[in-house]
Amino acid sequence: MTTLPPPLAMLMELTHRCPLKCPYCSNPLGLDRARDELDTATWQRVISEAAGIGILQAHFSGGEPMVRQDLPDLIRHARTEGLYTNLITSAVLLDQRRMTALAEAGLDHVQISFQGAEPDMADRIAGLDRAHEKKLAAARLVREAGLALTINAVVHRQNLDQLPAMLDLAIATGAQRIEVAHVQYYGWALKNRAALIPTRTQLDEATRIVEDARRRLAGQLVIDYVVPDYYASRPKACMGGWARQFFNITPSGKMLPCHAAETLDLPFERITERSVGAIWADSPGFRAYRGTGWMAPPCRGCARAEIDWGGCRCQALALTGNAAATDPACGLSPDHAMMADLAGAESAAASDNFAYRMIS
């Protein structure tokens, strides 16, 4: 029997509460309520159990993780367990007092999301006045505290014209890294796809801008680039492959192989019912698409089967109705042309209206 390697990282969605209303949020449409969130002691147990099975990185996310008053305590506990700690935040709640508390707790790295390079566009997308101003102030606090900073620039049809300025913004804030991430169409982004998906011309221009910036800023700024699957010819290895390197825990304690996995009709367990290690090792939801045994042609026998691991199961379900189907992002999928046609039609329609992320 092959020994199951340990996961690399755990993402903790501490809460679904958030002052922003981003229309591409990766949280599910059905958001967890504050009353259902795990308490401090349970999160600390989860961190210890995850460290015990070998994770190296603890990522604190949400919603907005800074609405949790126990965030410094959780970060401190993760550092005590020897884990690298990363905060993924909108940063609109970050002030000097909170920055000091987080730094003293041992926080290693901060990722701040930006919705654009100028306030009017950024605040409209975020659904919050003065959000952009607060993010810039927060970025300064992070660098003054001596922490590593990454700018998460989420790009789509309505803000791609600001990409050069967003790269300049990363330099101005002192960030070491920027992730230029085209929206991935799950959750709220799928609901808003017609308002977000770029044209092929926009994508090609964005790729040219990124490639030029990588040459120009080499040694000064690391630029990660994530393209939208709808224009791809090969799928990405979702989270490094289903249940291979990563797991996610929701605010109410459901353990998932990826952010969007709840869309699949699988029996995902809660960490209030079994340990992190037990769920990782043999939960039916984790075993369902782990490895290559579940694959059918053309994935089965493909030379890339252990490179892209079949792509995204959530995307296959959303577009074909079958979670086990070949990811339509693959050029070998019988549904690949349908995916490309969707992208072309919806980007050409140029809808600008958002259904903002809200707890109903």
Side-chain angles (χ1 to χ4, degrees), residues 18-282:
C18 185
L20 271 56
K21 302 174 184 176
C22 302
Y24 50 73
C25 182
S26 62
N27 290 159
L29 298 181
L31 298 167
D32 287 347
R33 300 280 184 167
R35 63 176 177 267
D36 298 320
E37 292 172 12
L38 301 179
D39 61 21
T40 305
T42 303
W43 276 119
Q44 289 174 330
R45 172 179 64 79
V46 166
I47 291 167
S48 294
E49 289 180 358
I53 65 169
I55 73 160
L56 301 177
Q57 302 170 3
H59 301 275
F60 296 89
S61 182
E64 174 45 62
M66 292 196 64
V67 305
R68 293 275 304 218
Q69 296 304 306
D70 58 356
L71 179 60
D73 296 326
L74 298 179
I75 289 170
R76 185 175 295 107
H77 187 77
R79 291 294 290 138
T80 300
E81 292 288 355
L83 301 176
Y84 183 85
T85 56
N86 177 41
L87 176 64
I88 304 167
T89 177
S90 71
V92 297
L93 301 179
L94 186 61
D95 56 21
Q96 184 63 68
R97 178 184 63 83
R98 288 175 172 172
M99 186 71 261
T100 299
L102 294 172
E104 290 178 348
L107 181 63
D108 292 300
H109 182 269
V110 179
Q111 292 178 240
I112 299 179
S113 62
F114 277 82
Q115 284 69 41
E118 58 85 20
D120 289 346
M121 170 67 75
D123 292 354
R124 183 178 78 82
I125 295 168
L128 180 69
D129 289 342
R130 297 182 59 218
H132 190 70
E133 173 188 333
K134 293 175 182 178
K135 289 168 181 283
L136 291 172
R140 286 192 293 272
L141 291 175
V142 172
R143 295 303 295 132
E144 289 170 0
L147 274 62
L149 173 64
T150 291
I151 300 300
N152 288 350
V154 185
V155 295
H156 46 81
R157 189 176 69 245
Q158 297 196 38
N159 70 357
L160 265 172
D161 63 319
Q162 296 187 10
L163 178 54
M166 293 172 87
L167 291 162
D168 291 342
L169 181 152
I171 295 293
T173 60
Q176 294 91 350
R177 174 174 165 265
I178 183 172
E179 180 176 302
V180 178
H182 285 267
V183 167
Q184 305 298 302
Y185 295 96
Y186 321 106
W188 291 88
L190 183 61
K191 186 178 182 71
N192 284 289
R193 185 178 61 196
L196 296 168
I197 197 161
T199 65
R200 183 69 203 222
T201 299
Q202 281 184 303
L203 174 61
D204 290 344
E205 176 63 6
T207 301
R208 184 197 66 76
I209 290 169
V210 167
E211 290 174 349
D212 175 71
R214 280 175 166 167
R215 289 188 293 268
R216 180 168 45 87
L217 300 173
Q220 185 178 5
L221 181 69
V222 175
I223 305 174
D224 294 335
Y225 186 52
V226 182
V227 300
D229 284 343
Y230 281 61
Y231 291 110
S233 58
R234 291 289 182 268
K236 295 188 291 288
C238 179
M239 312 311 299
W242 181 276
R244 291 191 67 250
Q245 298 180 348
F246 166 95
F247 62 89
N248 176 59
I249 297 181
T250 71
S252 59
K254 192 174 289 187
M255 186 163 156
L256 307 171
C258 77
H259 312 72
E262 283 183 287
T263 60
L264 276 63
D265 185 19
L266 288 173
F268 294 116
E269 299 176 84
R270 297 183 187 274
I271 52 83
T272 50
E273 300 163 350
R274 286 214 296 163
S275 71
V276 169
I279 296 173
W280 174 257
D282 65 11

